[in-house]
Amino acid sequence: MQKFAVGQAVRRVEDERFLKGDGCYVDDIRLDNMAHAAFVRSPFAHAKIGKIDVSAAVAMPGVLKVLTHKDVKKAGLGAFPTLTAVDGVDENGIAVPERFALTGDVARFVGDPVAMVIAETPEQAQQAAEAVVVDYNDKPAVVDLASVLDRKTKLIHPKLKSNRAYHFHKGDEAGVNKAIDAAAHVTRLTFVNNRVAPSAVEPRGSIGDYDREKDQLILHVSGQAVHGQKGQMADVIFKVPPEKVRVVMPDVGGGFGAKNFVYPENVMVMLAAKLVGRPVKWIAQRSENFLSEIHGRDHLTTAELALDEDGNFTALRVDTRANMGAYLSSYATIIPTSASWVSMGGNYRIPSVSMSVDAVFTNTVPIDAYRGAGRPESAYLIERLVDLAAFETGRDPVALRRKNFINQYPYKMALGMVIDCADFEGTLDKALTVHDADGFAKRRKASERRGKLRGLGVSSYLEVTLGMPADFAELRFEDDGTVSLMTGGQATGQGHETTYKQIISSELGIDPDKVRYVTGDTDVIKAGGGHGGSRSLMVIGSALLTTSHEVVNKGRLAAAHVLEAGVQDIEFKAGKFVVIGTDRGIGILELAARLRAIADSLPDGVPETLSSSKTWERKQFSYPNGVHVCEVEVDPDTGMTDITGYTVVDDFGRIINPLIAGGQVMGGAVQGIGQALLEGVTYDETGQLLTGSFMDYCMPRASDLPSIGLEFNQDAPTQSNPLGVKGAGEAGATGAPPAVVNAVVDALKPMGIAHIDMPLTPVKVWDAIRAAGGRQAAQ
C-alpha cells in the first residue's frame, strides 16, 4: 500500500519544524533598522475627542513620530471597506458609517485607536503612548441589545439617524404565520447567543515596510487572506494600483476567522513605514486583542417552532437582533444573514421558514466571522428548539429528531438551499451506539445516589461549506528536482501542507519530501481566496486534483515522445509513465528533468514542462453534518458542570486524513464547549470591557474537557466536488454548544428548568436551581 496516500492518518509534516522551534511568526521577523509601534486607545466607550496633545510623547527618548487622524487624512487614506451586497436587505439598504485607521472626532468603543507612536523599541513606544494627552468628552454608551432601537436610546452614529445598520428578511412570512396559527403546538424561546473572543494562541501582529525603489507598500501580517488584505488596502484605503501593495503572511498561530480582516493597526504600520522610512512592527498585547480584535456571535433571538398533532415540524420563525459593534467590520453584514440562512432549519423537514434580522450598532468592539460564522448560531437555534419542543410535548428528543429528519435527496430546504446527500439517521444511530446511550439510565441512577444530576444532550447539526467559491493550484517542476506546490489559501494550523501533499502523493506518486509548499505572498502567488467557511480542501484540494490530472495528461504526451511510443500506449501508475505491456518506463520527476534537457529540440505538441495550474470553481455547496452527544453531571450544591462523556460522529464525505480531520473536530468542539460553559465577553453599562484578560475571560482548560470519542460516517459521499469532501474545519464549533446546553438542561429537567442562556457558568446554573426550588426539587 502506498505511503502518504489519501485516506491515511498521516502525521502533519509541518509539525516537525514547529516542535523544534523553527516556525517563523510575525514577531520572529527582524528587518533591518526596524522601529516599533504602540497605540493610544480610547478609555471610553463613547466620547467626543477634542485636542490631542502629543508634545510630551514626541520629546521622549527614542520616539520617531506620533500619528493622529490628521496624518491619516493628510495621507489621503480612504475609509475601511465593508461588504454590502447582501440579498434580503430591505429597501433602506445597509448603513455604513465611515471608519478610518485612527479615529478623529468620536471614539465609539473602549480600545478605539486614537493615535500611534513609533519609536526605537516597543518599550519606548508604549511609554510615549502613555504620555499622549487626549481631551475626551464622555458621552452615554449604548451596550444593551434589548433597548438599542428604543427611541430614547442615544445614537452612536448621528448621521445615520438610527442605531440599525440594516433589516434583513428571507422566507415565507405569510406561510409561516398561517402554519403557526394552525399548529397543534408552538415552542417559543427567547435566548442569547453569547459574545465570544477568538483568542488565538498568537495575538495579532503586523510589520509595515516600504520599498522606495518599487514605490511598494509591504505588510507582513499574522493573517488569513493575503489577497483579500491586498485588494482592500490597494483599492479602497491607499488607493494605489494592486502591484503597489504586497502582503506577506508567515506562520500563523491560529486565526478562527478573526485575522481575515483589515484592521487599523495593519494600515497604520504601512503608513508609518512610508513616513519614517523604516520598517515598523506592532505586536498586540493580549489585552489589546480583547479590546480591539473582532468578537463573534452576540445575538438576541426569539424563535418559534410549530408542530402538528403528530409531532411533525410545520414552520419555523426566527427574529434576531444581531450586534455589529461600533462599526461594520469587513464581512460583518453576511454573518447573521447569508452565512446563517444557508443552514437555517438544520437537518429537518420544515415546510415554511421565515427569518428576520435587525443588525444594530453598539459601543462595543465590532463583530465579524468567528469559527462557523453564522452556522453555529443556526444550529444552536434549531437544536435548542427541538429539545424544548420534545420537553413541552412529552416526546423523546431523539425520536422527535428521527421523525423530522430529511431522508430523501436531493432535498430543497424552505429557504432554497439544496442538500445533495446525507445520512442523518445513520449518523445519529452510530453516535448513540458509540456513546452507549442505552446505558445512560443506569449511569443517571448512579449519579443520583451520589447526589448529582446527570443529563444527556444530543445535537444533530448541519454545516455548509462556504468561503470564496474559486481558487487555483499550481504544480511547478523545478530545476533542482523538486516540485513547488503553490496555492492561494493560507494555513493557520489546519494541516494544509500535509493534506495537499497526500493528494499529490496519491495522484502523482511524488515523495512528499520532494514537494515544497509555497503560499502567503501576493508577489509570489498570483491570486487566492485565503481560507474561511471550511473551503480549503473542497476548493483548493479540488483545484490541486485537477492540476494533478493536467500534469498526467502532459506527462503522457511527453513520455510518448521520450519513450518512442504512441500516446495511447502510455499509462501512468505509481509515479511512473510506462509503455503498456513492456518494462519500459520513466518516473515523473525523471521525465520533468529530461524535458528540461531537451526543451530546445521538442517537436510541436510535446509540452516543454510538466508544470501546470488549474482553477476550480464551486458550483454547488456541500453539507458537512454530524451528531454530538454530550453527557454531563451537575452538582446541585455548587452549580458545577462536569462533562463525563462526549462523542462525535461526523459526515465529511471522503476523509483525506482522519488524523487531521479529527484534530479539527476536537479543536472546534473545545471552542464550542468553551462558549457553552465558560466564555462570555462582558461589558458594563458604561461600555467598559469587564473581560479584558484571561483572568476574567474564562477559556477551557484541560481539566474542563472530556476525552472526545470521534468517528466518521462516509456512507454519503458528495458529488459537489471531484474529491468528494464536505469540509471539516468549523463543524466542531457548530455541533458542540447545543449538545452541551441540551445535556445540562436535560439534567435539570426534573426541576422544571427548560433553558439557561450560555455560558452555563456555575453561578447561572446554581441560580436556576435555586429559582426552581433548590436542591430539594432535584431529589
Side-chain angles (χ1 to χ4, degrees), residues 35-42 54 57 60 62-68 101-102 111-132 206 264-265 268-269 272 280-285 288 292:
H36 299 267
F39 286 86
V40 179
R41 301 182 184 276
S42 171
V54 304
M60 293 181 71
V63 173
L64 303 173
K65 203 171 190 64
V66 179
L67 303 177
T68 67
L102 294 176
D112 209 352
V114 175
M116 177 194 197
V117 176
I118 305 102
E120 296 288 351
T121 70
E123 295 77 16
Q124 289 173 333
Q126 186 59 47
Q127 290 168 5
E130 294 170 2
V132 174
S206 52
E265 299 88 355
M268 290 306 300
V269 293
V280 177
K281 175 191 279 191
W282 169 78
I283 301 296
Q285 299 175 20
E288 284 186 287
S292 62

Side-chain angles (χ1 to χ4, degrees), residues 297 334-336 339-340 368-377 466 730:
R297 320 292 192 234
I334 72 171
I335 306 308
S340 187
D368 211 312
Y370 169 66
R371 198 172 194 169
R375 285 94 72 208
E377 293 91 318
L466 297 176
E730 295 164 294

Side-chain angles (χ1 to χ4, degrees), residues 229-547:
Q229 292 265 349
K230 172 180 174 173
Q232 295 176 74
M233 293 284 196
D235 296 344
V236 183
I237 297 178
F238 287 96
K239 304 172 187 176
V240 296
E243 65 272 14
K244 297 299 182 180
V245 174
R246 177 186 182 188
V247 180
V248 182
M249 192 190 81
D251 292 322
V252 177
F256 312 125
K259 293 178 180 176
N260 262 317
F261 319 116
V262 172
Y263 283 99
E265 299 88 355
N266 297 354
V267 173
M268 290 306 300
V269 293
M270 296 170 74
L271 176 62
K274 185 173 184 179
L275 293 179
V276 303
R278 296 169 58 175
V280 177
K281 175 191 279 191
W282 169 78
I283 301 296
Q285 299 175 20
R286 183 60 65 179
S287 60
E288 284 186 287
N289 251 31
F290 279 106
L291 285 171
S292 62
E293 184 175 69
I294 68 100
H295 293 158
R297 320 292 192 234
D298 205 352
H299 291 178
L300 177 62
T301 298
T302 297
E304 297 168 283
L305 180 65
L307 294 79
D308 67 16
E309 57 188 10
D310 294 323
N312 297 300
F313 302 158
T314 61
L316 173 66
R317 179 161 59 203
V318 179
D319 290 290
T320 293
R321 185 166 289 183
N323 197 342
M324 296 286 100
Y327 304 96
L328 290 179
S329 180
S330 303
Y331 305 110
T333 55
I334 72 171
I335 306 308
T337 57
S338 305
S340 187
W341 74 258
V342 290
S343 59
M344 187 60 66
N347 304 343
Y348 307 105
R349 301 185 308 274
I350 307 178
S352 295
V353 176
S354 174
M355 174 187 170
S356 296
V357 177
D358 276 321
V360 297
F361 296 112
T362 63
N363 290 118
T364 61
V365 171
I367 295 282
D368 211 312
Y370 169 66
R371 198 172 194 169
R375 285 94 72 208
E377 293 91 318
S378 293
Y380 183 73
L381 180 156
I382 190 63
E383 289 302 292
R384 283 298 298 126
L385 281 177
V386 172
D387 252 40
L388 184 57
F391 176 65
E392 292 177 347
T393 62
R395 290 180 166 92
D396 177 74
V398 171
L400 187 60
R401 284 176 169 81
R402 290 187 197 279
K403 184 176 185 64
N404 287 280
F405 273 153
I406 296 165
N407 53 18
Q408 292 184 329
Y409 306 95
Y411 180 85
K412 187 174 183 179
M413 301 171 72
L415 294 184
M417 301 299 286
V418 178
I419 300 178
D420 61 333
C421 62
D423 181 20
F424 297 139
E425 190 162 2
T427 301
L428 176 62
D429 289 340
K430 189 171 186 177
L432 294 173
T433 299
V434 171
H435 189 83
D436 184 24
D438 288 343
F440 170 70
K442 183 178 179 180
R443 295 191 293 274
R444 171 176 268 177
K445 287 186 178 298
S447 293
E448 290 173 352
R449 288 194 292 270
R450 293 184 287 105
K452 301 294 179 65
L453 306 172
R454 185 173 285 260
L456 184 72
V458 172
S459 164
S460 184
Y461 75 89
L462 180 70
E463 244 271 66
V464 186
T465 304
L466 297 176
M468 299 297 287
D471 221 313
F472 87 104
E474 180 178 356
L475 292 175
R476 186 180 297 172
F477 287 77
E478 307 288 5
D479 292 346
D480 62 359
T482 63
V483 177
S484 292
L485 159 60
M486 312 178 80
T487 78
Q490 277 79 52
T492 60
Q494 301 93 326
H496 289 175
E497 181 175 351
T498 301
T499 307
Y500 295 157
K501 286 184 177 183
Q502 285 182 263
I503 296 172
I504 294 172
S505 179
S506 285
E507 295 298 318
L508 301 179
I510 299 175
D511 190 305
D513 291 339
K514 293 289 186 179
V515 179
R516 182 186 301 108
Y517 180 54
V518 183
T519 188
D521 187 335
T522 59
D523 271 14
V524 176
I525 305 297
K526 62 183 180 180
H531 81 264
S534 304
R535 72 184 287 270
S536 297
L537 189 54
M538 178 175 174
V539 178
I540 298 174
S542 293
L544 182 57
L545 184 70
T546 56
T547 301

Side-chain angles (χ1 to χ4, degrees), residues 434-731:
V434 171
H435 189 83
D436 184 24
D438 288 343
F440 170 70
K442 183 178 179 180
R443 295 191 293 274
R444 171 176 268 177
K445 287 186 178 298
S447 293
E448 290 173 352
R449 288 194 292 270
R450 293 184 287 105
K452 301 294 179 65
L453 306 172
R454 185 173 285 260
L456 184 72
V458 172
S459 164
S460 184
Y461 75 89
L462 180 70
E463 244 271 66
V464 186
T465 304
L466 297 176
M468 299 297 287
D471 221 313
F472 87 104
E474 180 178 356
L475 292 175
R476 186 180 297 172
F477 287 77
E478 307 288 5
D479 292 346
D480 62 359
T482 63
V483 177
S484 292
L485 159 60
M486 312 178 80
T487 78
Q490 277 79 52
T492 60
Q494 301 93 326
H496 289 175
E497 181 175 351
T498 301
T499 307
Y500 295 157
K501 286 184 177 183
Q502 285 182 263
I503 296 172
I504 294 172
S505 179
S506 285
E507 295 298 318
L508 301 179
I510 299 175
D511 190 305
D513 291 339
K514 293 289 186 179
V515 179
R516 182 186 301 108
Y517 180 54
V518 183
T519 188
D521 187 335
T522 59
D523 271 14
V524 176
I525 305 297
K526 62 183 180 180
H531 81 264
S534 304
R535 72 184 287 270
S536 297
L537 189 54
M538 178 175 174
V539 178
I540 298 174
S542 293
L544 182 57
L545 184 70
T546 56
T547 301
S548 297
H549 294 167
E550 177 68 9
V551 169
V552 172
N553 292 337
K554 284 185 175 182
R556 291 182 70 242
L557 291 170
H561 171 72
V562 170
L563 298 175
E564 300 180 342
V567 175
Q568 70 277 5
D569 295 324
I570 299 295
E571 68 173 353
F572 179 73
K573 57 182 179 180
K576 191 173 184 178
F577 294 93
V578 298
V579 179
I580 298 173
T582 74
D583 59 358
R584 296 168 55 219
I586 186 171
I588 188 170
L589 295 180
E590 183 184 354
L591 177 60
R594 185 72 179 274
L595 288 176
R596 286 191 292 272
I598 61 175
D600 294 338
S601 61
L602 290 172
D604 291 343
V606 177
E608 296 180 4
T609 177
L610 300 184
S611 296
S612 302
S613 176
K614 284 287 186 180
T615 295
W616 188 85
E617 183 174 4
R618 182 185 65 220
K619 300 299 183 183
Q620 65 185 99
F621 292 104
S622 71
Y623 293 86
N625 62 88
V627 173
H628 287 225
V629 183
C630 177
E631 194 164 329
V632 301
E633 206 173 53
V634 177
D635 186 337
D637 290 330
T638 65
M640 287 291 296
T641 297
D642 179 28
I643 300 178
T644 60
Y646 204 99
T647 300
V648 181
V649 175
D650 286 310
D651 171 8
F652 296 148
R654 185 186 187 194
I655 302 297
I656 303 300
N657 186 319
L659 195 62
I660 288 178
Q664 286 291 296
V665 171
M666 291 184 185
V670 169
Q671 287 180 274
I673 291 169
Q675 180 179 6
L677 294 180
L678 304 166
E679 299 182 46
V681 173
T682 304
Y683 289 90
D684 70 11
E685 65 278 3
T686 70
Q688 288 296 322
L689 181 65
L690 302 180
T691 50
S693 75
F694 289 139
M695 294 295 290
D696 309 297
Y697 185 85
C698 188
M699 294 282 284
R701 299 165 292 267
S703 59
D704 298 312
L705 302 170
S707 175
I708 298 176
L710 174 64
E711 294 196 20
F712 299 107
N713 181 355
Q714 300 188 60
D715 292 340
T718 179
Q719 301 300 312
S720 64
N721 61 89
L723 277 174
V725 300
K726 296 183 180 180
E730 295 164 294

